Amino acid sequence: MLIRPATSADVKDILEVYAPYIKNTVITFETEVPSIEEFTARIEKIKSKYPYLVCEMDGKVIGYAYAAKYRERAAYKYSVEISIYVDMNHQHEGIGRALYTNLFEALKSYDCYTAYACITLPNEKSIGLHKAFGFYEIGTCHNVGYKMGRWIDVIWLEKPLKQYDTPTATLMP
């Protein structure tokens, strides 16, 4: 297992990990699998400011995790929203733990103070992973999404990344 920064060559594999979640679950609220071009643009936009990591095994990406802008307003710039997906055939192999260990290590060099995770309910596996990394529940939004014929709740979790002091002007390490 190799954890490394994502490259443009990984986009197809990353989308192959993500697509089953779109098509077969309510874990993501996305309902249509994006094109390679659209997905490439998303990844490049995130990578331009934040860490975007993949887990590679035998030359194939089987999971990914990234941090991204939390909200648009300027005062939010010191917070990130994180996301993680692991190939459905490779769950319970320590991939999520390895990805998050490396993601949070990478975030130490950024001027980010708080990480947020938004998880659809129910999803005990994801909640358990996040709590293992120090996230705690801050609230639930009820019936916020509609997918696959039902209304879906989401839980928000929060994790302080460093002591809250006066931030510097930059986000990049």
Side-chain angles (χ1 to χ4, degrees):
M1 178 183 335
L2 171 67
I3 307 296
R4 60 172 176 75
T7 69
S8 57
D10 297 321
V11 174
K12 183 178 178 285
D13 284 352
I14 294 170
L15 191 54
E16 286 176 7
V17 169
Y18 185 45
Y21 288 96
I22 297 168
K23 295 179 201 175
N24 305 318
T25 77
V26 297
I27 289 174
T28 176
F29 280 0
E30 194 145 14
T31 58
E32 299 289 328
V33 177
S35 69
I36 290 286
E37 296 77 20
E38 179 185 346
F39 207 61
T40 299
R42 286 186 201 177
I43 291 171
E44 292 304 319
K45 181 178 179 182
I46 293 168
K47 281 179 26 179
S48 72
K49 293 188 178 178
Y50 301 98
Y52 201 119
L53 305 176
V54 296
C55 177
E56 180 183 318
M57 189 179 292
D58 299 324
K60 178 119 173 103
V61 171
I62 56 169
Y64 66 97
Y66 62 90
K69 181 187 282 193
Y70 172 66
R71 292 283 184 260
E72 288 297 319
R73 304 289 187 267
Y76 288 122
K77 72 182 177 180
Y78 300 102
S79 297
V80 292
E81 185 172 347
I82 52 120
S83 193
I84 187 168
Y85 287 90
V86 174
D87 184 295
M88 291 180 178
N89 296 315
H90 288 280
Q91 295 190 355
H92 307 290
E93 295 177 11
I95 295 162
R97 181 168 293 282
L99 281 164
Y100 265 1
T101 297
N102 283 269
L103 181 66
F104 292 121
E105 186 61 33
L107 283 171
K108 287 180 181 178
S109 62
Y110 287 72
D111 210 4
C112 298
Y113 287 78
T114 309
Y116 293 95
C118 181
I119 302 169
T120 58
L121 295 174
N123 192 340
E124 292 307 314
K125 289 189 288 188
S126 185
I127 292 169
L129 175 66
H130 286 83
K131 287 187 174 181
F133 277 89
F135 281 83
Y136 54 90
E137 181 179 342
I138 57 172
T140 302
C141 298
H142 300 281
N143 302 311
V144 71
Y146 188 84
K147 184 176 176 184
M148 298 186 157
R150 67 182 178 99
W151 287 101
I152 304 154
D153 297 345
V154 297
I155 186 173
W156 279 93
L157 295 105
E158 175 180 270
K159 172 187 174 67
L161 298 173
K162 62 171 80 174
Q163 185 167 345
Y164 295 93
D165 58 12
T166 304
T168 63
T170 182
L171 285 177
M172 295 298 287

